[in-house]
Amino acid sequence: MTWTAPPVVVRGEQLGALGIAAERRMLEGWLNWHRETLMAKCAGLDSVQLARAAVEPSTLSLLGLVRHMAEIERWWFRRSFAGEAVGDVFSGPSDGDEGFEGVCAADAARDFALYRAEVGACDVAVAGQDLDTAFMSTQGVPLSLRWVYMVMIQEYARHNGHADLLRERTDGVTGG
């Protein structure tokens, strides 16, 4: 039996409720909304559809995006901000495109589970940390946890645009 991405039951807070929220709640709310949007773009597709590169000549797939975002979550929240000595979620080159290569339909359920586990570990890594808490980037530039939230929101926003196109090319579904 082919694995199918589960439906997204709840899409977090309504974005309008974040309009006057405190900064931390607003940043977490937007990030969670984008995380859930990626999952919604995958919902109901089987593992073969998720692994399909649907926008030729690009090799990008929805499953590749899920894998990539697991890597990016780990890089910014756990490795960079929290200083955790953790390796890659998925093997492959560390060139900014982590997770895109090595996509295999047979691994879809595992890859989704790894993504969800990584999101949970990232949330734990920053829980209770002040947004002004700073760390040094690999280029020696001081950055704050606030900056990490902002870069993660833009990373998801950009890739969710890709997910829109991939989903539409896969089965015609748009929106969400």
Side-chain angles (χ1 to χ4, degrees):
M1 173 156 232
T2 303
W3 181 84
T4 301
V8 175
V9 179
V10 178
R11 285 283 305 273
E13 297 184 71
Q14 292 299 313
L15 294 179
L18 298 173
I20 58 170
E23 182 180 21
R24 179 66 176 253
R25 184 169 158 237
M26 185 181 293
L27 292 172
E28 288 174 346
W30 270 101
L31 178 58
N32 286 329
W33 187 84
H34 277 292
R35 288 167 169 167
E36 292 166 358
T37 296
L38 180 58
M39 295 294 96
K41 293 296 173 188
C42 297
L45 296 178
D46 66 36
S47 56
V48 173
Q49 290 171 309
L50 291 165
R52 181 175 164 244
V55 183
E56 301 82 11
S58 172
T59 59
L60 189 61
S61 68
L62 286 164
L63 186 56
L65 286 173
V66 170
R67 291 164 49 97
H68 177 68
M69 291 313 300
E71 291 290 353
I72 300 305
E73 291 259 3
R74 178 173 282 195
W75 172 259
W76 283 113
F77 286 120
R78 294 181 64 197
R79 283 183 175 161
S80 298
F81 176 76
E84 294 181 25
V86 291
D88 294 336
V89 182
F90 303 100
S91 62
S94 295
D95 61 1
D97 290 339
E98 293 82 1
F100 290 139
E101 294 181 20
V103 172
C104 179
D107 297 331
R110 179 205 67 177
D111 292 354
F112 269 70
L114 288 169
Y115 168 81
R116 286 189 190 97
E118 193 56 39
V119 165
C122 290
D123 287 345
V124 167
V126 299
Q129 297 293 325
D130 189 275
L131 292 174
D132 290 324
T133 302
F135 65 97
M136 293 301 274
S137 74
T138 55
Q139 289 80 31
V141 176
L143 302 171
S144 68
L145 178 57
R146 176 182 293 103
W147 189 91
V148 173
Y149 273 103
M150 295 301 296
V151 81
M152 288 303 302
I153 290 166
Q154 74 80 29
E155 182 85 7
Y156 270 102
R158 182 164 41 105
H159 288 312
N160 282 338
H162 299 138
D164 281 335
L165 295 172
L166 290 164
R167 180 63 190 248
E168 185 175 5
R169 291 279 301 173
T170 298
D171 69 352
V173 171
T174 60

